[in-house]
Amino acid sequence: MALSRISVVIPPMGPWRDQAEWYRWAEDIGYDVAYTYDHLTHRTAVDLWLGEAFTTLTAAAASTRRIRLGTLVASAVFRRPVALARVAMTVQDISAGRLVLGLGLGAPDCEVADRGAHSSMRAMADRFTDVVHGYLAAIGGATEWQGATLSYSGLQSTAAPEGVAPPELLLAAHGPRALSLAAQYADTWNTYGGPGSTQLDEDEYWTLLAAQAAGFDEQCTKAGRDPAAVRRSVLLGFGRVRPTSSVSGFMDAASRAEELGFDELVVYAPASSAGLGSDPSVHERALARLR
């Protein structure tokens, strides 16, 4: 399967005047989607300004014309269904339908930053499930909904502006429970390998991704859904696999992702602290060869 999207993460770090230049650069050199973080705190942003994701994407929509814009990913530990549906549809409207709403379990340190909570992974997974179900209910026009950990009622406004379709829903998933959720509801499934993957060497990492892809196939089959109907997205660069270190590394990562059936490759922008200051020319030359 050939890559149908090559995308980039631009973390919301530093003043907007600097971030804006990277969004325009990403569009100009041919990236398909520019994603941003949705964190309240992050270990790559110590003593740095970390902006809010959806506000950043709204500004990016005004600074670009073609490129799609997304969260990788909105955090279920501090997002709630109705507020998430409202902000997603606002960005979808303002961007003329360019939003990719990425949603994931979220990071424990963001839960602590939000409300001083230390939930178990099971409780975080329960909340993630409820945020997905509740968001879909709200976006579908339900005026009330009850989940296992979250609920809402009394909605009197419409689910969306007139004529605006819901955004693409990307769900980040690594373990069986989250993979099952993605298999049932996602337009796109994304993985970076999961927390334990960042310390794996290259061969171990790609073996893990192969196992996750097989697990996702299995979950799609259980859900009665064609695995080929869901886009498969992989984010590289946060661990030891660093595709933007060289053009050959970028090309090799693209080839290996394609071999495993992924059709979107996501890398970190040059300005990202997580991207380790990659050379913009590596991105530009690699994209020129992959197009």
Side-chain angles (χ1 to χ4, degrees):
M1 179 183 294
L3 293 174
S4 60
R5 287 202 315 216
I6 307 173
S7 306
V8 65
V9 176
I10 304 172
M13 298 178 186
W16 170 246
R17 61 181 176 273
D18 295 337
Q19 293 181 53
E21 293 299 322
W22 288 112
Y23 280 92
R24 288 190 284 265
W25 168 84
E27 181 169 74
D28 288 345
I29 71 169
Y31 275 118
D32 294 299
V33 187
Y35 293 101
T36 196
Y37 288 171
D38 186 38
H39 290 285
L40 299 178
T41 186
H42 199 272
R43 65 183 179 85
T44 65
V46 175
D47 295 327
L48 296 173
W49 166 247
L50 186 60
E52 196 280 325
F54 290 97
T55 310
T56 297
L57 294 181
T58 302
S63 300
T64 57
R65 301 181 306 278
R66 173 199 59 82
I67 196 167
R68 302 194 72 187
L69 305 164
T71 50
L72 200 61
V73 285
S75 177
V77 298
F78 63 88
R79 298 288 180 181
R80 295 180 63 89
V82 175
L84 179 63
R86 190 63 49 81
V87 73
M89 288 308 306
T90 300
V91 177
Q92 178 76 337
D93 182 24
I94 291 170
S95 67
R98 288 188 282 152
L99 179 64
V100 178
L101 177 61
L103 182 59
L105 185 77
D109 57 354
C110 287
E111 184 184 34
V112 175
D114 182 51
R115 56 189 180 277
H118 297 268
S119 297
S120 67
M121 289 303 296
R122 181 181 181 85
M124 290 175 65
D126 289 342
R127 182 182 173 97
F128 180 33
T129 299
D130 272 1
V131 172
V132 171
H133 289 162
Y135 163 79
L136 290 171
I139 215 79
T143 59
E144 60 182 41
W145 170 84
Q146 178 70 54
T149 67
L150 299 169
S151 64
Y152 69 81
S153 63
L155 281 186
Q156 298 175 331
S157 55
T158 61
E162 184 178 354
V164 179
E168 175 184 334
L169 179 62
L170 176 154
L171 294 180
H174 310 108
R177 184 174 176 185
L179 286 172
S180 174
L181 194 67
Q184 294 175 73
Y185 301 110
D187 300 307
T188 299
W189 161 56
N190 173 269
T191 183
Y192 74 94
S197 70
T198 60
Q199 300 304 311
L200 298 179
D201 65 28
E202 191 165 338
D203 287 340
E204 291 173 326
Y205 180 77
W206 288 108
T207 298
L208 172 64
L209 290 186
Q212 287 184 344
F216 184 69
D217 283 347
E218 181 180 346
Q219 294 297 338
C220 285
T221 299
K222 288 181 179 178
R225 195 172 182 195
D226 181 359
V230 187
R231 186 189 303 274
R232 297 167 186 237
S233 171
V234 60
L235 169 63
L236 300 179
F238 197 51
R240 295 181 179 178
V241 179
R242 302 277 170 77
T244 60
S245 59
S246 66
V247 174
S248 61
F250 204 125
M251 300 300 293
D252 180 65
S255 177
R256 297 190 75 161
E258 288 178 350
E259 288 173 3
L260 293 184
F262 289 97
D263 49 8
E264 180 180 42
L265 172 64
V266 189
V267 300
Y268 288 93
S272 166
S273 58
L276 303 180
S278 57
D279 187 337
S281 70
V282 169
H283 298 251
E284 295 160 11
R285 287 181 287 150
L287 279 176
R289 291 178 61 178
L290 287 166
R291 295 305 185 187

Short mmCIF file of all heavy atoms in Angstrom, two decimals, residues 249-286:
data_model
loop_
_atom_site.label_atom_id
_atom_site.label_comp_id
_atom_site.label_asym_id
_atom_site.label_seq_id
_atom_site.Cartn_x
_atom_site.Cartn_y
_atom_site.Cartn_z
N GLY A 249 17.15 8.07 5.59
CA GLY A 249 16.38 7.59 6.73
C GLY A 249 14.89 7.82 6.55
O GLY A 249 14.06 6.98 6.91
N PHE A 250 14.54 8.96 5.99
CA PHE A 250 13.15 9.30 5.70
C PHE A 250 12.58 8.32 4.68
O PHE A 250 11.48 7.76 4.87
CB PHE A 250 13.07 10.73 5.16
CG PHE A 250 11.74 11.42 5.34
CD1 PHE A 250 11.67 12.64 5.99
CD2 PHE A 250 10.57 10.88 4.85
CE1 PHE A 250 10.46 13.31 6.15
CE2 PHE A 250 9.35 11.53 4.99
CZ PHE A 250 9.30 12.75 5.66
N MET A 251 13.34 8.06 3.63
CA MET A 251 12.87 7.16 2.57
C MET A 251 12.72 5.73 3.10
O MET A 251 11.77 5.03 2.77
CB MET A 251 13.84 7.19 1.39
CG MET A 251 14.01 8.56 0.74
SD MET A 251 12.47 9.23 0.09
CE MET A 251 12.16 8.07 -1.23
N ASP A 252 13.67 5.31 3.93
CA ASP A 252 13.60 3.96 4.49
C ASP A 252 12.38 3.82 5.39
O ASP A 252 11.67 2.80 5.34
CB ASP A 252 14.87 3.66 5.29
CG ASP A 252 14.85 2.27 5.90
OD1 ASP A 252 14.84 1.28 5.13
OD2 ASP A 252 14.83 2.16 7.14
N ALA A 253 12.11 4.84 6.22
CA ALA A 253 10.94 4.79 7.10
C ALA A 253 9.66 4.73 6.30
O ALA A 253 8.73 3.99 6.63
CB ALA A 253 10.94 6.01 8.02
N ALA A 254 9.59 5.51 5.23
CA ALA A 254 8.40 5.49 4.37
C ALA A 254 8.19 4.10 3.77
O ALA A 254 7.07 3.58 3.73
CB ALA A 254 8.53 6.54 3.27
N SER A 255 9.28 3.49 3.32
CA SER A 255 9.20 2.16 2.71
C SER A 255 8.74 1.12 3.73
O SER A 255 7.86 0.28 3.44
CB SER A 255 10.56 1.77 2.14
OG SER A 255 10.53 0.46 1.61
N ARG A 256 9.29 1.17 4.93
CA ARG A 256 8.93 0.19 5.94
C ARG A 256 7.49 0.38 6.42
O ARG A 256 6.78 -0.58 6.69
CB ARG A 256 9.91 0.24 7.10
CG ARG A 256 11.33 -0.13 6.69
CD ARG A 256 12.26 -0.31 7.87
NE ARG A 256 12.01 -1.57 8.56
CZ ARG A 256 12.89 -2.16 9.38
NH1 ARG A 256 14.07 -1.61 9.57
NH2 ARG A 256 12.59 -3.29 9.99
N ALA A 257 7.06 1.63 6.51
CA ALA A 257 5.66 1.89 6.88
C ALA A 257 4.71 1.34 5.82
O ALA A 257 3.69 0.72 6.15
CB ALA A 257 5.44 3.39 7.06
N GLU A 258 5.03 1.55 4.56
CA GLU A 258 4.21 1.03 3.46
C GLU A 258 4.13 -0.49 3.51
O GLU A 258 3.06 -1.07 3.32
CB GLU A 258 4.78 1.48 2.12
CG GLU A 258 4.59 2.94 1.81
CD GLU A 258 5.23 3.34 0.49
OE1 GLU A 258 5.98 2.50 -0.09
OE2 GLU A 258 4.99 4.45 0.02
N GLU A 259 5.25 -1.14 3.79
CA GLU A 259 5.28 -2.60 3.84
C GLU A 259 4.34 -3.15 4.90
O GLU A 259 3.80 -4.25 4.75
CB GLU A 259 6.71 -3.08 4.12
CG GLU A 259 7.66 -2.90 2.94
CD GLU A 259 9.09 -3.24 3.32
OE1 GLU A 259 9.33 -3.67 4.47
OE2 GLU A 259 9.97 -3.07 2.45
N LEU A 260 4.14 -2.40 5.98
CA LEU A 260 3.25 -2.85 7.06
C LEU A 260 1.81 -2.41 6.85
O LEU A 260 0.95 -2.65 7.70
CB LEU A 260 3.76 -2.32 8.40
CG LEU A 260 5.09 -2.88 8.89
CD1 LEU A 260 5.41 -2.34 10.28
CD2 LEU A 260 5.06 -4.41 8.93
N GLY A 261 1.54 -1.74 5.72
CA GLY A 261 0.17 -1.36 5.41
C GLY A 261 -0.24 0.01 5.90
O GLY A 261 -1.42 0.38 5.81
N PHE A 262 0.70 0.80 6.43
CA PHE A 262 0.36 2.16 6.83
C PHE A 262 0.26 3.04 5.59
O PHE A 262 1.05 2.90 4.65
CB PHE A 262 1.43 2.72 7.78
CG PHE A 262 1.40 2.08 9.14
CD1 PHE A 262 2.27 1.04 9.44
CD2 PHE A 262 0.50 2.50 10.10
CE1 PHE A 262 2.24 0.43 10.69
CE2 PHE A 262 0.46 1.91 11.35
CZ PHE A 262 1.33 0.87 11.64
N ASP A 263 -0.72 3.93 5.60
CA ASP A 263 -0.84 4.83 4.45
C ASP A 263 -0.71 6.31 4.83
O ASP A 263 -0.86 7.18 3.97
CB ASP A 263 -2.14 4.60 3.66
CG ASP A 263 -3.37 4.55 4.53
OD1 ASP A 263 -3.27 4.84 5.73
OD2 ASP A 263 -4.43 4.20 3.99
N GLU A 264 -0.38 6.57 6.12
CA GLU A 264 0.03 7.92 6.50
C GLU A 264 1.28 7.81 7.36
O GLU A 264 1.32 7.07 8.34
CB GLU A 264 -1.05 8.67 7.29
CG GLU A 264 -0.58 10.08 7.68
CD GLU A 264 -1.61 10.88 8.47
OE1 GLU A 264 -2.26 10.29 9.36
OE2 GLU A 264 -1.75 12.08 8.21
N LEU A 265 2.30 8.58 6.99
CA LEU A 265 3.53 8.70 7.77
C LEU A 265 3.57 10.10 8.35
O LEU A 265 3.40 11.09 7.64
CB LEU A 265 4.75 8.47 6.88
CG LEU A 265 6.12 8.75 7.52
CD1 LEU A 265 6.37 7.80 8.68
CD2 LEU A 265 7.22 8.64 6.47
N VAL A 266 3.76 10.20 9.67
CA VAL A 266 3.83 11.48 10.36
C VAL A 266 5.20 11.62 11.01
O VAL A 266 5.66 10.70 11.69
CB VAL A 266 2.73 11.62 11.43
CG1 VAL A 266 2.69 13.05 11.97
CG2 VAL A 266 1.37 11.21 10.89
N VAL A 267 5.84 12.77 10.80
CA VAL A 267 7.15 13.04 11.40
C VAL A 267 7.08 14.37 12.15
O VAL A 267 6.12 15.12 12.04
CB VAL A 267 8.26 13.10 10.32
CG1 VAL A 267 8.36 11.78 9.58
CG2 VAL A 267 8.01 14.24 9.33
N TYR A 268 8.13 14.66 12.91
CA TYR A 268 8.19 15.91 13.66
C TYR A 268 8.84 17.01 12.82
O TYR A 268 9.79 16.77 12.08
CB TYR A 268 8.98 15.72 14.95
CG TYR A 268 8.25 14.92 15.99
CD1 TYR A 268 8.41 13.55 16.10
CD2 TYR A 268 7.37 15.54 16.87
CE1 TYR A 268 7.73 12.80 17.05
CE2 TYR A 268 6.67 14.81 17.83
CZ TYR A 268 6.86 13.45 17.91
OH TYR A 268 6.18 12.73 18.86
N ALA A 269 8.32 18.22 12.97
CA ALA A 269 8.85 19.37 12.25
C ALA A 269 10.25 19.72 12.74
O ALA A 269 10.63 19.39 13.86
CB ALA A 269 7.92 20.57 12.42
N PRO A 270 11.02 20.42 11.93
CA PRO A 270 12.38 20.79 12.34
C PRO A 270 12.45 21.57 13.63
O PRO A 270 13.40 21.41 14.40
CB PRO A 270 12.87 21.64 11.15
CG PRO A 270 12.08 21.16 9.99
CD PRO A 270 10.74 20.82 10.54
N ALA A 271 11.46 22.42 13.89
CA ALA A 271 11.50 23.28 15.07
C ALA A 271 11.07 22.58 16.34
O ALA A 271 11.15 23.16 17.42
CB ALA A 271 10.61 24.51 14.85
N SER A 272 10.62 21.33 16.24
CA SER A 272 10.11 20.61 17.41
C SER A 272 11.25 20.16 18.31
O SER A 272 12.23 19.57 17.84
CB SER A 272 9.31 19.39 16.96
OG SER A 272 9.09 18.52 18.03
N SER A 273 11.12 20.41 19.61
CA SER A 273 12.12 19.90 20.54
C SER A 273 12.12 18.37 20.52
O SER A 273 13.15 17.73 20.74
CB SER A 273 11.86 20.42 21.95
OG SER A 273 10.56 20.05 22.39
N ALA A 274 10.97 17.77 20.25
CA ALA A 274 10.91 16.32 20.13
C ALA A 274 11.54 15.84 18.83
O ALA A 274 11.97 14.69 18.72
CB ALA A 274 9.46 15.84 20.19
N GLY A 275 11.60 16.72 17.84
CA GLY A 275 12.19 16.37 16.55
C GLY A 275 13.68 16.56 16.50
O GLY A 275 14.33 16.29 15.48
N LEU A 276 14.24 17.02 17.60
CA LEU A 276 15.69 17.15 17.75
C LEU A 276 16.32 18.05 16.69
O LEU A 276 17.45 17.83 16.25
CB LEU A 276 16.36 15.76 17.74
CG LEU A 276 15.85 14.80 18.82
CD1 LEU A 276 16.57 13.47 18.73
CD2 LEU A 276 16.02 15.40 20.20
N GLY A 277 15.61 19.09 16.30
CA GLY A 277 16.20 20.10 15.43
C GLY A 277 16.63 19.60 14.07
O GLY A 277 17.74 19.89 13.61
N SER A 278 15.78 18.85 13.39
CA SER A 278 16.14 18.31 12.08
C SER A 278 16.30 19.43 11.05
O SER A 278 15.76 20.52 11.19
CB SER A 278 15.08 17.31 11.62
OG SER A 278 13.80 17.89 11.58
N ASP A 279 17.04 19.14 10.01
CA ASP A 279 17.32 20.10 8.94
C ASP A 279 16.10 20.21 8.03
O ASP A 279 15.64 19.20 7.49
CB ASP A 279 18.53 19.61 8.15
CG ASP A 279 19.01 20.62 7.11
OD1 ASP A 279 18.22 21.49 6.69
OD2 ASP A 279 20.17 20.52 6.72
N PRO A 280 15.55 21.41 7.82
CA PRO A 280 14.39 21.55 6.92
C PRO A 280 14.63 20.97 5.54
O PRO A 280 13.71 20.46 4.90
CB PRO A 280 14.17 23.06 6.87
CG PRO A 280 14.73 23.57 8.15
CD PRO A 280 15.91 22.69 8.45
N SER A 281 15.88 21.02 5.07
CA SER A 281 16.16 20.53 3.72
C SER A 281 15.97 19.03 3.62
O SER A 281 15.67 18.51 2.53
CB SER A 281 17.58 20.91 3.28
OG SER A 281 18.55 20.18 4.01
N VAL A 282 16.13 18.30 4.73
CA VAL A 282 15.87 16.86 4.71
C VAL A 282 14.40 16.61 4.40
O VAL A 282 14.06 15.78 3.55
CB VAL A 282 16.25 16.22 6.06
CG1 VAL A 282 15.74 14.78 6.13
CG2 VAL A 282 17.76 16.25 6.26
N HIS A 283 13.52 17.34 5.06
CA HIS A 283 12.08 17.22 4.79
C HIS A 283 11.78 17.56 3.33
O HIS A 283 11.04 16.85 2.65
CB HIS A 283 11.30 18.17 5.69
CG HIS A 283 11.45 17.90 7.15
ND1 HIS A 283 10.42 17.39 7.92
CD2 HIS A 283 12.50 18.08 8.01
CE1 HIS A 283 10.82 17.26 9.18
NE2 HIS A 283 12.06 17.69 9.26
N GLU A 284 12.33 18.66 2.86
CA GLU A 284 12.04 19.15 1.51
C GLU A 284 12.50 18.18 0.45
O GLU A 284 11.76 17.87 -0.49
CB GLU A 284 12.68 20.52 1.33
CG GLU A 284 12.07 21.58 2.24
CD GLU A 284 12.96 22.79 2.45
OE1 GLU A 284 13.98 22.92 1.74
OE2 GLU A 284 12.65 23.62 3.34
N ARG A 285 13.72 17.65 0.60
CA ARG A 285 14.24 16.72 -0.41
C ARG A 285 13.52 15.38 -0.36
O ARG A 285 13.25 14.76 -1.40
CB ARG A 285 15.75 16.54 -0.21
CG ARG A 285 16.57 17.75 -0.65
CD ARG A 285 18.05 17.51 -0.46
NE ARG A 285 18.41 17.56 0.96
CZ ARG A 285 19.42 16.86 1.49
NH1 ARG A 285 20.11 16.01 0.76
NH2 ARG A 285 19.68 16.99 2.78
N ALA A 286 13.19 14.91 0.86
CA ALA A 286 12.49 13.64 0.98
C ALA A 286 11.09 13.73 0.38
O ALA A 286 10.65 12.83 -0.35
CB ALA A 286 12.41 13.21 2.44
#
